[in-house]
Protein backbone atom coordinates (compact mmCIF):
# COMPACT_ATOMS: atom_id res chain seq x y z
CA UNK A 1 0.00 0.00 0.00
CA UNK A 2 1.24 3.49 -0.87
CA UNK A 3 1.62 5.74 2.18
CA UNK A 4 2.21 9.47 2.59
CA UNK A 5 2.20 11.53 5.76
CA UNK A 6 -0.18 14.11 4.27
CA UNK A 7 -2.50 13.43 1.36
CA UNK A 8 -4.34 16.24 -0.43
CA UNK A 9 -7.23 15.21 -2.64
CA UNK A 10 -7.58 17.66 -5.51
CA UNK A 11 -5.06 20.03 -7.08
CA UNK A 12 -7.37 22.89 -7.95
CA UNK A 13 -7.29 26.26 -6.23
CA UNK A 14 -7.85 24.85 -2.73
CA UNK A 15 -5.67 21.75 -3.00
CA UNK A 16 -2.74 23.46 -4.72
CA UNK A 17 -2.78 26.44 -2.35
CA UNK A 18 -2.89 24.36 0.82
CA UNK A 19 -0.18 22.00 -0.49
CA UNK A 20 2.10 24.98 -1.16
CA UNK A 21 1.50 26.35 2.33
CA UNK A 22 2.13 22.93 3.88
CA UNK A 23 5.48 22.71 2.11
CA UNK A 24 6.41 26.22 3.23
CA UNK A 25 5.45 25.26 6.79
CA UNK A 26 7.98 22.42 6.72
CA UNK A 27 5.92 19.39 5.70
CA UNK A 28 8.23 16.91 3.99
CA UNK A 29 5.91 14.19 2.70
CA UNK A 30 2.92 15.70 0.91
CA UNK A 31 1.09 13.88 -1.87
CA UNK A 32 -1.52 15.51 -4.11
CA UNK A 33 -4.07 13.31 -5.87
CA UNK A 34 -5.45 14.67 -9.15
CA UNK A 35 -5.81 12.97 -12.55
CA UNK A 36 -6.01 16.08 -14.73
CA UNK A 37 -2.97 17.54 -16.56
CA UNK A 38 -4.13 21.18 -16.65
CA UNK A 39 -4.86 23.77 -13.96
CA UNK A 40 -7.53 26.39 -14.67
CA UNK A 41 -8.12 29.84 -13.22
CA UNK A 42 -11.88 29.57 -13.58
CA UNK A 43 -12.88 33.12 -12.50
CA UNK A 44 -11.49 34.33 -15.82
CA UNK A 45 -14.11 32.36 -17.73
CA UNK A 46 -16.71 35.06 -17.03
CA UNK A 47 -14.51 37.54 -18.88
CA UNK A 48 -13.94 34.99 -21.66
CA UNK A 49 -17.70 34.67 -22.06
CA UNK A 50 -18.03 38.45 -22.02
CA UNK A 51 -15.40 38.94 -24.72
CA UNK A 52 -12.94 40.58 -22.32
CA UNK A 53 -10.25 37.87 -21.98
CA UNK A 54 -8.78 34.91 -23.81
CA UNK A 55 -9.45 31.37 -22.69
CA UNK A 56 -5.75 30.50 -23.02
CA UNK A 57 -4.93 32.94 -20.21
CA UNK A 58 -6.94 30.77 -17.81
CA UNK A 59 -4.88 27.57 -18.13
CA UNK A 60 -1.43 26.27 -17.27
CA UNK A 61 0.07 22.77 -17.10
CA UNK A 62 -0.48 21.37 -13.63
CA UNK A 63 3.15 20.35 -13.29
CA UNK A 64 4.11 24.03 -13.63
CA UNK A 65 1.99 25.19 -10.70
CA UNK A 66 2.28 22.33 -8.21
CA UNK A 67 4.65 23.08 -5.33
CA UNK A 68 8.19 21.80 -5.68
CA UNK A 69 8.68 18.63 -3.64
CA UNK A 70 5.09 17.35 -3.55
CA UNK A 71 4.29 13.91 -4.91
CA UNK A 72 1.74 14.24 -7.70
CA UNK A 73 -0.36 11.09 -7.95
CA UNK A 74 -2.07 11.20 -11.35
CA UNK A 75 -5.09 9.18 -10.33
CA UNK A 76 -8.66 9.86 -9.21
CA UNK A 77 -9.98 9.38 -5.70
CA UNK A 78 -13.11 7.24 -5.52
CA UNK A 79 -13.62 6.73 -1.81
CA UNK A 80 -12.34 7.35 1.71
CA UNK A 81 -12.20 4.95 4.65
CA UNK A 82 -11.54 7.22 7.63
CA UNK A 83 -11.32 4.28 10.06
CA UNK A 84 -8.44 2.74 8.14
CA UNK A 85 -7.12 6.15 7.08
CA UNK A 86 -7.08 5.23 3.42
CA UNK A 87 -8.12 6.84 0.15
CA UNK A 88 -9.27 4.49 -2.59
CA UNK A 89 -7.70 5.40 -5.93
CA UNK A 90 -9.33 4.40 -9.20
CA UNK A 91 -6.22 2.79 -10.73
CA UNK A 92 -3.76 2.20 -7.88
CA UNK A 93 -6.01 0.98 -5.09
CA UNK A 94 -5.69 2.16 -1.48
CA UNK A 95 -3.46 5.05 -0.41
CA UNK A 96 -2.87 5.50 3.32
CA UNK A 97 -2.26 8.75 5.18
CA UNK A 98 -1.62 10.23 8.60
CA UNK A 99 -3.50 13.43 7.79
CA UNK A 100 -5.89 14.13 4.93
CA UNK A 101 -7.03 17.31 3.19
CA UNK A 102 -10.18 16.94 1.11
CA UNK A 103 -10.37 19.54 -1.68
CA UNK A 104 -11.75 17.93 -4.87
CA UNK A 105 -13.91 20.93 -5.70
CA UNK A 106 -17.54 20.90 -6.73
CA UNK A 107 -19.54 18.79 -9.19
CA UNK A 108 -21.62 20.28 -12.03
CA UNK A 109 -24.90 18.37 -12.31
CA UNK A 110 -26.16 19.09 -15.81
CA UNK A 111 -28.54 16.14 -15.59
CA UNK A 112 -30.45 17.55 -12.59
CA UNK A 113 -32.54 19.80 -14.90
CA UNK A 114 -34.47 17.78 -17.49
CA UNK A 115 -33.33 18.58 -21.00
CA UNK A 116 -30.30 20.66 -19.99
CA UNK A 117 -27.57 18.07 -20.49
CA UNK A 118 -28.65 17.36 -24.07
CA UNK A 119 -29.14 21.06 -24.85
CA UNK A 120 -26.12 22.85 -23.41
CA UNK A 121 -23.74 23.93 -26.16
CA UNK A 122 -26.45 23.57 -28.81
CA UNK A 123 -29.66 25.40 -29.71
CA UNK A 124 -27.94 28.75 -28.97
CA UNK A 125 -27.07 27.90 -25.38
CA UNK A 126 -23.74 28.14 -23.54
CA UNK A 127 -22.24 28.29 -20.06
CA UNK A 128 -19.19 30.00 -18.58
CA UNK A 129 -19.01 27.15 -16.08
CA UNK A 130 -17.34 24.97 -18.73
CA UNK A 131 -13.96 25.68 -20.28
CA UNK A 132 -15.09 24.53 -23.72
CA UNK A 133 -18.30 26.59 -23.71
CA UNK A 134 -17.11 29.96 -22.37
CA UNK A 135 -16.02 31.18 -25.85
CA UNK A 136 -19.42 30.11 -27.18
CA UNK A 137 -21.08 32.46 -24.68
CA UNK A 138 -19.25 35.38 -26.29
CA UNK A 139 -20.16 34.14 -29.77
CA UNK A 140 -23.85 34.08 -28.80
CA UNK A 141 -23.68 37.54 -27.24
CA UNK A 142 -21.81 38.97 -30.23
CA UNK A 143 -24.27 37.56 -32.75
CA UNK A 144 -27.45 38.54 -30.92
CA UNK A 145 -28.96 41.83 -32.08
CA UNK A 146 -32.61 41.26 -31.21
CA UNK A 147 -34.86 38.79 -29.42
CA UNK A 148 -34.91 37.29 -25.93
CA UNK A 149 -31.82 36.48 -23.85
CA UNK A 150 -32.11 34.33 -20.74
CA UNK A 151 -29.53 33.99 -17.95
CA UNK A 152 -30.13 31.45 -15.17
CA UNK A 153 -28.89 30.59 -11.70
CA UNK A 154 -29.72 27.27 -9.97
CA UNK A 155 -30.83 26.83 -6.36
CA UNK A 156 -28.38 25.61 -3.74
CA UNK A 157 -24.71 26.42 -3.18
CA UNK A 158 -22.66 26.98 -6.34
CA UNK A 159 -19.12 28.14 -6.98
CA UNK A 160 -18.86 31.88 -7.54
CA UNK A 161 -22.54 32.60 -6.99
CA UNK A 162 -22.18 36.00 -8.66
CA UNK A 163 -21.09 34.54 -12.01
CA UNK A 164 -24.63 33.90 -13.34
CA UNK A 165 -25.34 37.62 -12.93
CA UNK A 166 -21.97 38.94 -14.11
CA UNK A 167 -22.39 37.60 -17.61
CA UNK A 168 -25.89 39.11 -17.89
CA UNK A 169 -24.50 42.56 -17.06
CA UNK A 170 -21.53 42.19 -19.40
CA UNK A 171 -23.87 41.11 -22.21
CA UNK A 172 -26.25 44.01 -21.56
CA UNK A 173 -23.35 46.47 -21.50
CA UNK A 174 -22.10 45.14 -24.85
CA UNK A 175 -25.55 45.36 -26.42
CA UNK A 176 -25.95 48.92 -25.12
CA UNK A 177 -22.64 49.94 -26.69
CA UNK A 178 -23.74 48.28 -29.95
CA UNK A 179 -26.98 50.26 -29.89
CA UNK A 180 -29.26 47.19 -29.79
CA UNK A 181 -30.11 46.93 -26.09
CA UNK A 182 -33.64 48.24 -26.62
CA UNK A 183 -34.30 45.38 -29.08
CA UNK A 184 -33.24 42.61 -26.67
CA UNK A 185 -35.52 41.35 -23.90
CA UNK A 186 -33.17 40.19 -21.11
CA UNK A 187 -34.35 37.86 -18.35
CA UNK A 188 -32.36 36.94 -15.24
CA UNK A 189 -33.63 33.86 -13.37
CA UNK A 190 -32.54 33.58 -9.71
CA UNK A 191 -33.86 31.17 -7.04
CA UNK A 192 -33.40 33.59 -4.14
CA UNK A 193 -35.75 36.36 -2.94
CA UNK A 194 -33.07 38.99 -3.69
CA UNK A 195 -30.12 39.33 -6.07
CA UNK A 196 -27.66 39.06 -3.18
CA UNK A 197 -27.85 37.89 0.41
CA UNK A 198 -26.55 41.20 1.77
CA UNK A 199 -29.12 44.03 1.33
CA UNK A 200 -26.52 46.69 0.57
CA UNK A 201 -25.15 44.72 -2.37
CA UNK A 202 -28.59 43.48 -3.44
CA UNK A 203 -29.77 47.06 -3.87
CA UNK A 204 -26.81 47.91 -6.10
CA UNK A 205 -27.41 44.85 -8.26
CA UNK A 206 -31.14 45.56 -8.51
CA UNK A 207 -30.37 49.10 -9.67
CA UNK A 208 -27.88 47.73 -12.21
CA UNK A 209 -30.41 45.27 -13.62
CA UNK A 210 -33.08 47.98 -13.81
CA UNK A 211 -30.71 50.35 -15.62
CA UNK A 212 -30.20 47.72 -18.32
CA UNK A 213 -33.91 46.95 -18.51
CA UNK A 214 -33.36 43.38 -17.30
CA UNK A 215 -36.46 41.52 -16.10
CA UNK A 216 -35.43 39.80 -12.85
CA UNK A 217 -37.37 36.69 -11.85
CA UNK A 218 -36.83 36.29 -8.09
CA UNK A 219 -37.55 33.04 -6.18
CA UNK A 220 -37.67 31.28 -9.55
CA UNK A 221 -35.91 28.18 -10.80
CA UNK A 222 -35.56 26.36 -14.09
CA UNK A 223 -37.49 23.07 -14.06
CA UNK A 224 -36.80 21.97 -17.65
CA UNK A 225 -35.14 23.06 -20.88
CA UNK A 226 -36.51 22.37 -24.35
CA UNK A 227 -33.60 22.97 -26.69
CA UNK A 228 -35.25 22.26 -30.04
CA UNK A 229 -38.13 24.59 -29.11
CA UNK A 230 -35.72 27.11 -27.52
CA UNK A 231 -37.71 27.60 -24.35
CA UNK A 232 -37.18 27.37 -20.61
CA UNK A 233 -39.73 26.02 -18.14
CA UNK A 234 -39.84 27.97 -14.88
CA UNK A 235 -41.38 27.57 -11.43
CA UNK A 236 -41.79 30.44 -9.00
CA UNK A 237 -41.47 29.08 -5.47
CA UNK A 238 -43.19 31.90 -3.59
CA UNK A 239 -46.36 31.84 -5.72
CA UNK A 240 -46.31 28.31 -7.12
CA UNK A 241 -46.67 29.72 -10.64
CA UNK A 242 -45.34 27.77 -13.64
CA UNK A 243 -44.42 29.47 -16.90
CA UNK A 244 -42.58 28.94 -20.17
CA UNK A 245 -40.06 31.49 -21.43
CA UNK A 246 -38.85 31.33 -25.07
CA UNK A 247 -35.28 32.42 -25.79
CA UNK A 248 -33.06 33.37 -28.72
CA UNK A 249 -29.93 32.81 -26.65
CA UNK A 250 -29.46 31.42 -23.15
CA UNK A 251 -26.68 31.11 -20.61
CA UNK A 252 -27.28 28.25 -18.16
CA UNK A 253 -25.66 27.41 -14.83
CA UNK A 254 -26.26 23.85 -13.60
CA UNK A 255 -27.12 22.71 -10.07
CA UNK A 256 -24.01 21.77 -8.11
CA UNK A 257 -22.98 19.48 -5.27
CA UNK A 258 -20.05 17.68 -3.73
CA UNK A 259 -18.67 14.94 -6.01
CA UNK A 260 -20.83 11.83 -5.81
CA UNK A 261 -18.09 9.76 -4.20
CA UNK A 262 -17.72 12.38 -1.44
CA UNK A 263 -21.48 12.52 -0.88
CA UNK A 264 -21.52 8.72 -0.47
CA UNK A 265 -18.57 8.71 1.93
CA UNK A 266 -18.60 8.79 5.75
CA UNK A 267 -17.27 12.35 5.55
CA UNK A 268 -20.48 13.88 4.20
CA UNK A 269 -22.56 16.03 6.52
CA UNK A 270 -25.71 14.18 7.66
CA UNK A 271 -28.89 15.35 5.92
CA UNK A 272 -26.93 17.69 3.64
CA UNK A 273 -28.54 17.37 0.19
CA UNK A 274 -25.31 18.53 -1.41
CA UNK A 275 -23.19 15.87 0.30
CA UNK A 276 -20.50 18.35 1.40
CA UNK A 277 -17.75 17.43 3.87
CA UNK A 278 -18.87 17.87 7.47
CA UNK A 279 -16.34 20.28 8.97
CA UNK A 280 -16.35 22.72 11.83
CA UNK A 281 -17.01 26.04 10.03
CA UNK A 282 -14.36 27.82 12.12
CA UNK A 283 -11.50 25.30 12.27
CA UNK A 284 -12.26 23.41 9.00
CA UNK A 285 -11.50 20.15 10.81
CA UNK A 286 -13.87 17.25 10.23
CA UNK A 287 -16.32 16.99 13.12
CA UNK A 288 -15.86 13.22 13.57
CA UNK A 289 -12.38 12.49 12.21
CA UNK A 290 -9.78 14.80 13.72
CA UNK A 291 -7.03 13.97 11.22
CA UNK A 292 -9.16 15.14 8.29
CA UNK A 293 -9.62 18.72 7.09
CA UNK A 294 -11.50 20.16 4.13
CA UNK A 295 -11.56 23.53 2.42
CA UNK A 296 -12.80 25.16 -0.73
CA UNK A 297 -16.01 24.33 -2.53
CA UNK A 298 -16.39 20.82 -1.03
CA UNK A 299 -16.53 21.98 2.60
CA UNK A 300 -19.93 22.23 4.28
CA UNK A 301 -19.41 25.79 5.46
CA UNK A 302 -22.09 28.49 5.15
CA UNK A 303 -19.83 30.96 3.36
CA UNK A 304 -19.88 31.72 -0.37
CA UNK A 305 -17.75 29.32 -2.44
CA UNK A 306 -15.08 31.59 -3.95
CA UNK A 307 -11.35 31.67 -4.54
CA UNK A 308 -11.08 34.50 -2.03
CA UNK A 309 -12.56 32.19 0.60
CA UNK A 310 -9.86 29.61 -0.18
CA UNK A 311 -7.16 32.26 0.25
CA UNK A 312 -8.37 32.85 3.81
CA UNK A 313 -9.04 29.18 4.57
CA UNK A 314 -5.69 27.72 3.48
CA UNK A 315 -3.45 29.26 6.19
CA UNK A 316 -6.01 28.28 8.83
CA UNK A 317 -6.06 24.68 7.65
CA UNK A 318 -2.24 24.49 7.69
CA UNK A 319 -1.96 25.97 11.17
CA UNK A 320 -4.65 23.68 12.53
CA UNK A 321 -3.20 20.59 10.86
CA UNK A 322 0.17 21.24 12.48
CA UNK A 323 -1.46 21.69 15.90
CA UNK A 324 -3.63 18.59 15.48
CA UNK A 325 -0.60 16.49 14.50
CA UNK A 326 1.12 17.62 17.71
CA UNK A 327 -1.97 17.00 19.83
CA UNK A 328 -2.44 20.70 20.58
CA UNK A 329 -5.56 22.84 20.54
CA UNK A 330 -6.34 24.35 17.15
CA UNK A 331 -5.30 28.02 16.89
CA UNK A 332 -6.87 28.96 13.54
CA UNK A 333 -10.37 30.38 13.16
CA UNK A 334 -12.03 31.08 9.81
CA UNK A 335 -14.46 34.00 9.91
CA UNK A 336 -16.30 33.07 6.72
CA UNK A 337 -14.64 35.73 4.57
CA UNK A 338 -15.48 35.55 0.88
CA UNK A 339 -15.32 38.01 -1.97
CA UNK A 340 -17.23 38.19 -5.22
CA UNK A 341 -15.90 40.66 -7.81
CA UNK A 342 -19.14 41.45 -9.66
CA UNK A 343 -18.59 42.93 -13.12
CA UNK A 344 -21.42 45.42 -13.64
CA UNK A 345 -20.09 46.58 -17.01
CA UNK A 346 -16.81 46.55 -18.91
CA UNK A 347 -15.71 49.52 -16.76
CA UNK A 348 -17.34 49.05 -13.36
CA UNK A 349 -16.87 46.43 -10.67
CA UNK A 350 -18.51 45.73 -7.32
CA UNK A 351 -16.00 43.94 -5.09
CA UNK A 352 -18.51 42.44 -2.67
CA UNK A 353 -16.66 41.27 0.46
CA UNK A 354 -18.46 39.67 3.40
CA UNK A 355 -18.14 37.10 6.18
CA UNK A 356 -20.21 34.84 8.43
CA UNK A 357 -21.92 37.87 9.98
CA UNK A 358 -23.65 38.58 6.67
CA UNK A 359 -22.22 42.09 6.67
CA UNK A 360 -19.73 43.78 4.31
CA UNK A 361 -16.13 43.03 5.28
CA UNK A 362 -13.86 45.36 3.27
CA UNK A 363 -10.22 44.34 3.01
CA UNK A 364 -9.02 47.89 2.52
CA UNK A 365 -9.43 50.90 4.81
CA UNK A 366 -12.02 53.35 3.58
CA UNK A 367 -12.42 55.67 1.77
CA UNK A 368 -10.44 54.11 -1.12
CA UNK A 369 -11.22 51.80 -2.66
CA UNK A 370 -14.74 51.61 -1.27
CA UNK A 371 -15.57 47.95 -1.96
CA UNK A 372 -19.13 48.44 -0.73
CA UNK A 373 -19.95 50.49 -3.86
CA UNK A 374 -19.27 50.12 -7.62
CA UNK A 375 -15.76 51.18 -8.60
CA UNK A 376 -15.15 52.75 -12.01
CA UNK A 377 -12.32 51.38 -14.15
CA UNK A 378 -11.55 48.66 -11.57
CA UNK A 379 -12.12 45.76 -13.96
CA UNK A 380 -8.38 45.57 -14.62
CA UNK A 381 -8.23 44.35 -11.03
CA UNK A 382 -10.25 41.29 -12.07
CA UNK A 383 -8.68 40.86 -15.51
CA UNK A 384 -5.02 41.51 -14.67
CA UNK A 385 -4.27 41.95 -10.96
CA UNK A 386 -6.21 38.98 -9.61
CA UNK A 387 -4.74 36.46 -12.12
CA UNK A 388 -1.22 37.76 -11.40
CA UNK A 389 -1.77 37.34 -7.67
CA UNK A 390 -3.31 33.90 -8.26
CA UNK A 391 -0.58 32.38 -10.44
CA UNK A 392 2.44 34.01 -8.79
CA UNK A 393 1.49 34.28 -5.15
CA UNK A 394 -1.63 32.39 -4.03
CA UNK A 395 -0.81 29.07 -5.68
CA UNK A 396 2.71 29.33 -4.27
CA UNK A 397 1.47 29.82 -0.72
CA UNK A 398 2.63 33.43 -0.56
CA UNK A 399 -0.71 35.25 -0.46
Amino acid sequence: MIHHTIVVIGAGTAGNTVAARLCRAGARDVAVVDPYPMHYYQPLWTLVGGGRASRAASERPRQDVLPVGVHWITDAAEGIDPERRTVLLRERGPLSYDQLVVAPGIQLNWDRIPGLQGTIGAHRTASNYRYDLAPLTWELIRTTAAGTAVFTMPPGPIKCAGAPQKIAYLAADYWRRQGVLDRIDIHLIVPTPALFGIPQFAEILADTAAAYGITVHLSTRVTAVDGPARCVHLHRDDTGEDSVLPYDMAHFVPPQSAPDWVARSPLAAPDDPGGYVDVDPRTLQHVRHREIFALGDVAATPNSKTGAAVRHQAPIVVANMKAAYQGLSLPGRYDGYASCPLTLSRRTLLLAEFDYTGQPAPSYPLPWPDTTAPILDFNLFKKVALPVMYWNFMLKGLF
Side-chain angles (χ1 to χ4, degrees):
M1 183 185 297
I2 309 170
H3 177 85
H4 289 282
T5 305
I6 299 174
V7 171
V8 179
I9 300 177
T13 299
N16 200 109
T17 300
V18 81
R21 285 186 171 271
L22 283 166
C23 291
R24 289 187 176 278
R28 291 291 176 262
D29 183 24
V30 179
V32 175
V33 177
D34 197 297
Y36 301 109
M38 301 299 292
H39 185 107
Y40 299 100
Y41 178 60
Q42 296 183 34
L44 206 61
W45 293 351
T46 291
L47 297 185
V48 173
R52 304 296 297 152
S54 71
R55 184 174 63 177
S58 74
E59 63 178 332
R60 291 190 182 179
R62 190 171 305 286
Q63 62 187 7
D64 293 349
V65 299
L66 278 172
V68 174
V70 304
H71 305 271
W72 178 20
I73 300 175
T74 55
D75 204 341
E78 290 192 328
I80 297 172
D81 185 340
E83 300 303 327
R84 293 182 172 85
R85 296 194 181 186
T86 58
V87 175
L88 178 62
L89 303 179
R90 180 179 301 162
E91 302 293 338
R92 307 186 193 188
L95 163 67
S96 65
Y97 59 83
D98 294 329
Q99 287 186 304
L100 178 68
V101 180
V102 185
I106 205 166
Q107 178 174 282
L108 305 182
N109 299 311
W110 301 97
D111 59 339
R112 298 280 177 89
I113 297 176
L116 179 57
Q117 188 165 24
T119 296
I120 194 67
H123 307 293
R124 291 191 62 80
T125 68
S127 179
N128 293 338
Y129 276 70
R130 266 177 46 181
Y131 170 83
D132 60 323
L133 294 181
L136 179 58
T137 303
W138 171 236
E139 179 66 15
L140 296 180
I141 292 171
R142 192 181 60 80
T143 58
T144 298
T148 300
V150 175
F151 299 85
T152 76
M153 176 182 177
I158 64 172
K159 57 182 172 181
C160 194
Q165 293 185 52
K166 297 178 198 179
I167 191 57
Y169 305 142
L170 285 174
D173 179 59
Y174 174 78
W175 291 324
R176 182 173 58 189
R177 289 184 290 107
Q178 296 300 113
V180 299
L181 182 59
D182 60 347
R183 295 187 299 203
I184 301 176
D185 185 20
I186 308 173
H187 294 259
L188 178 58
I189 316 300
V190 296
T192 49
L195 285 173
F196 208 89
I198 298 172
Q200 183 172 346
F201 298 139
E203 183 177 352
I204 293 170
L205 296 175
D207 290 343
T208 299
Y212 286 128
I214 297 173
T215 300
V216 178
H217 301 256
L218 298 175
S219 301
T220 304
R221 52 191 168 87
V222 177
T223 57
V225 178
D226 188 337
R230 290 190 187 175
C231 63
V232 182
H233 294 256
L234 305 175
H235 177 80
R236 182 156 180 167
D237 290 325
D238 56 353
T239 65
E241 178 186 1
D242 293 311
S243 60
V244 179
L245 180 62
Y247 68 83
D248 293 283
M249 72 144 288
H251 178 273
F252 289 107
V253 179
Q256 296 166 36
S257 68
D260 288 338
W261 68 267
V262 173
R264 293 191 300 263
S265 77
L267 302 187
D271 303 320
D272 181 351
Y276 296 100
V277 179
D278 196 7
V279 295
D280 181 298
R282 296 289 183 180
T283 66
L284 304 175
Q285 183 184 49
H286 196 273
V287 297
R288 295 180 298 279
H289 305 285
R290 317 309 285 176
E291 72 284 352
I292 298 177
F293 291 78
L295 76 161
D297 295 346
V298 81
T301 52
N303 64 295
S304 183
K305 297 182 183 298
T306 68
V310 170
R311 183 170 64 83
H312 282 242
Q313 290 171 351
I316 290 167
V317 167
V318 171
N320 286 346
M321 286 180 68
K322 183 176 181 180
Y325 192 75
Q326 297 172 341
L328 305 175
S329 60
L330 307 189
R333 292 293 182 272
Y334 174 52
D335 63 2
Y337 174 88
S339 173
C340 186
L342 290 149
T343 47
L344 307 183
S345 73
R346 67 181 296 171
R347 294 191 62 196
T348 52
L349 180 87
L350 175 64
L351 185 59
E353 299 178 286
F354 45 95
D355 55 26
Y356 281 148
T357 67
Q359 299 298 316
S363 296
Y364 306 97
L366 297 178
W368 191 94
D370 183 0
T371 60
T372 64
I375 305 173
L376 186 64
D377 285 336
F378 209 54
N379 268 326
L380 283 178
F381 176 75
K382 180 174 177 61
K383 182 179 178 179
V384 178
L386 285 180
V388 167
M389 289 188 287
Y390 181 81
W391 294 117
N392 298 297
F393 297 94
M394 183 174 168
L395 289 186
K396 296 180 179 180
L398 296 171
F399 176 71

